[in-house]
Amino acid sequence: TYIRSLCRDLARSLNTVAYMPLLIRTKAGMFDISDSVSLKEIDEMTDLSKVVVPLNDVIDLPIISLDEVKSKKFCNGIRLTVDTKDGLYKILDCEQNLLAVGRVTGSILSMEVYLND
């Protein structure tokens, strides 16, 4: 729901004006405000792994796992033939490390965004 638009539309329907002095998003995808940490708290932390979410956990896409040979080919820009439906996929190597976001079109997997170092 677009809350700002809802407020605008409500005001228009009442032939008046309105404004929203504050809007706080409490949830977006897997992130919830109850899990948030202030910048001051982060600055004082010695172990950021407690608050940093691995990219692999954030990307909510179906998975295609590649063996070692296909992983190397894919990372070198070679398109692969796969037996899956069209769409975006999270691409993992044989050790379940995140490589990329790939797109399948007509059984051909191509790189959309490379995410490995």
Side-chain angles (χ1 to χ4, degrees):
T1 302
Y2 294 97
I3 301 300
R4 289 182 186 92
S5 298
L6 181 63
C7 290
R8 179 202 62 212
D9 295 347
L10 181 60
R12 282 182 184 165
S13 69
L14 296 172
N15 293 320
T16 188
V17 294
Y19 78 100
M20 182 180 305
L22 180 65
L23 176 64
I24 297 174
R25 179 168 291 178
T26 60
K27 187 164 179 66
M30 66 176 277
F31 298 102
D32 190 283
I33 196 168
S34 65
D35 299 322
S36 63
V37 180
S38 72
L39 292 175
K40 182 179 179 184
E41 289 172 301
I42 290 173
D43 192 40
E44 294 170 354
M45 288 182 172
T46 55
D47 183 10
L48 292 179
S49 67
K50 296 177 183 175
V51 294
V52 175
V53 179
L55 189 55
N56 194 8
D57 294 347
V58 176
I59 299 174
D60 186 26
L61 292 172
I63 295 170
I64 294 177
S65 294
L66 302 176
D67 62 30
E68 189 174 351
V69 173
K70 287 183 179 180
S71 292
K72 286 181 182 179
K73 288 180 179 181
F74 185 72
C75 288
N76 285 325
I78 296 173
R79 294 178 176 170
L80 304 174
T81 302
V82 292
D83 186 24
T84 189
K85 64 182 180 176
D86 289 2
L88 289 175
Y89 289 85
K90 183 167 39 173
I91 310 302
L92 306 179
D93 67 13
C94 58
E95 296 176 356
Q96 301 304 294
N97 297 310
L98 179 63
L99 296 177
V101 171
R103 179 178 302 277
V104 175
T105 306
S107 297
I108 302 297
L109 172 63
S110 58
M111 179 121 22
E112 195 72 17
V113 180
Y114 184 69
L115 297 171
N116 201 338
D117 50 339

